């Protein structure tokens, strides 16, 4: 449960809600007060192979363009709040497993 709360606490607060319109503050509060419910939802989505279907989108932000060049864009990926939380949990577990296994290969 501490792992879930820790991942939720890493989410920046005070930003606009993500695609699912759930503010980070709500995800944090839910993780702190009802972590078993959040874990149950994530585990059920994983078992149903629905996590890969969580809504996300890529938006292209124009960086620069002149009369002589094509426009240059910076892509950003927007993930919903629960998807972001799940992503943080997986990232932490992967980092621990890689470090416990001796790190990444030099090759």
């Amino acid at each position: 449960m501490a792992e879930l709360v820790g991942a939720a606490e890493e989410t920046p607060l005070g930003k606009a809600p993500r695609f699912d319109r759930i503010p980070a503050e709500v995800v944090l509060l839910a993780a702190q007060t009802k972590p078993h419910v959040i874990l149950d939802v994530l585990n059920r989505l994983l078992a149903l192979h629905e996590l890969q279907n969580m809504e996300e989108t890529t938006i292209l932000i124009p960086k620069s363009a002149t009369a002589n060049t094509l426009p240059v864009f910076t892509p950003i990926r927007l993930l919903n709040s629960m998807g972001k939380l799940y992503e943080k949990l997986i990232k932490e577990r992967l980092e621990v497993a890689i470090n416990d296994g001796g790190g990444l290969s030099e090759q």
Side-chain angles (χ1 to χ4, degrees):
M1 300 289 176
E3 180 184 28
L4 174 72
V5 174
E9 287 173 346
E10 288 179 16
T11 304
L13 304 177
K15 295 198 171 201
R18 292 182 167 73
F19 247 22
D20 54 6
R21 301 184 192 267
I22 300 174
E25 291 83 358
V26 172
V27 174
L28 175 60
L29 182 62
Q32 291 172 331
T33 59
K34 301 284 186 183
H36 58 283
V37 173
I38 302 295
L39 286 177
D40 186 47
V41 168
L42 291 174
N43 286 331
R44 286 176 191 236
L45 289 170
L46 181 62
L48 295 170
H49 304 285
E50 290 295 327
L51 281 170
Q52 66 271 20
N53 296 330
M54 291 186 118
E55 192 173 346
E56 69 177 83
T57 190
T58 301
I59 296 176
L60 298 175
I61 306 292
K63 281 177 71 175
S64 62
T66 63
N68 299 329
T69 64
L70 293 174
V72 177
F73 295 93
T74 299
I76 61 169
R77 186 177 66 126
L78 301 176
L79 229 140
N80 69 32
S81 297
M82 293 300 287
K84 194 71 170 173
L85 180 61
Y86 181 72
E87 188 177 76
K88 286 181 183 190
L89 290 170
I90 295 299
K91 178 183 173 257
E92 289 178 17
R93 289 184 182 192
L94 283 173
E95 287 174 349
V96 168
I98 288 168
N99 290 334
D100 288 351
L104 296 174
S105 170
E106 295 295 325
Q107 297 176 345

